[in-house]
Amino acid sequence: MILCIAEKPSVAKDIAEVIGAKQRNNGFYEGNGYWVTWTFGHLCTLNEPHDYKENWKYWKLEDLPIVPKKFGIKLIDNDGVKRQFAVIEKLVASCSEVINCGDAGQEGELIQRWVLAPGQESGPYP
């Protein structure tokens, strides 16, 4: 199956209709060799300082600048976001190809890259 990831449900619905993915499932459409799913805009965000080191939660001036060795990302703390991300994760693991159907701008590209990046659901990168 080929997986298309749109930036929001309404766009996914339009794409699914055009490519013939008419069967509605929980969090995605299916049909004609395609799965079409969506994000909710910002599913992910950059880790906060305390996600890297607990003592960065209450930093002091001498702690600045706070720059981790590698920036990590995490899911937004929202049950709907977590459910949809689980759907995306399952589909990505089972598909033969992923098509980025997100917004064409830099922000849309970043969201797609974060969604497909390994490790974001478990917190900071090692």
Side-chain angles (χ1 to χ4, degrees):
M1 290 288 246
I2 297 171
L3 174 61
C4 300
I5 304 176
E7 77 272 9
K8 57 187 172 184
S10 62
V11 174
K13 182 179 179 184
D14 291 344
I15 291 169
E17 188 173 319
V18 168
I19 63 176
K22 307 249 183 217
Q23 182 180 343
R24 176 77 158 94
N25 296 300
N26 186 19
F28 68 101
Y29 295 91
E30 180 177 2
N32 203 25
Y34 290 91
W35 289 321
V36 182
T37 191
W38 55 87
T39 63
F40 295 117
H42 298 268
L43 283 174
C44 307
T45 187
L46 284 172
N47 283 335
E48 296 178 49
H50 67 271
D51 292 325
Y52 299 100
K53 294 182 182 179
E54 188 60 35
N55 65 321
W56 282 355
K57 188 170 189 165
Y58 303 104
W59 52 269
K60 300 176 288 253
L61 189 58
E62 55 266 15
D63 292 335
L64 298 177
I66 294 176
V67 181
K69 290 183 182 190
K70 185 171 184 179
F71 285 92
I73 52 177
K74 63 183 178 180
L75 288 177
I76 301 286
D77 189 19
N78 175 287
D79 290 340
V81 164
K82 290 176 183 175
R83 277 192 304 273
Q84 186 61 20
F85 185 81
V87 168
I88 295 168
E89 191 173 40
K90 180 181 168 191
L91 295 173
V92 166
S94 302
C95 72
S96 60
E97 183 177 345
V98 176
I99 299 174
N100 174 352
C101 298
D103 287 341
Q106 291 175 335
E107 191 174 28
E109 177 70 18
L110 180 63
I111 290 167
Q112 290 282 334
R113 286 180 184 266
W114 280 1
V115 167
L116 295 173
Q120 70 271 12
E121 68 280 5
S122 59
Y125 288 107

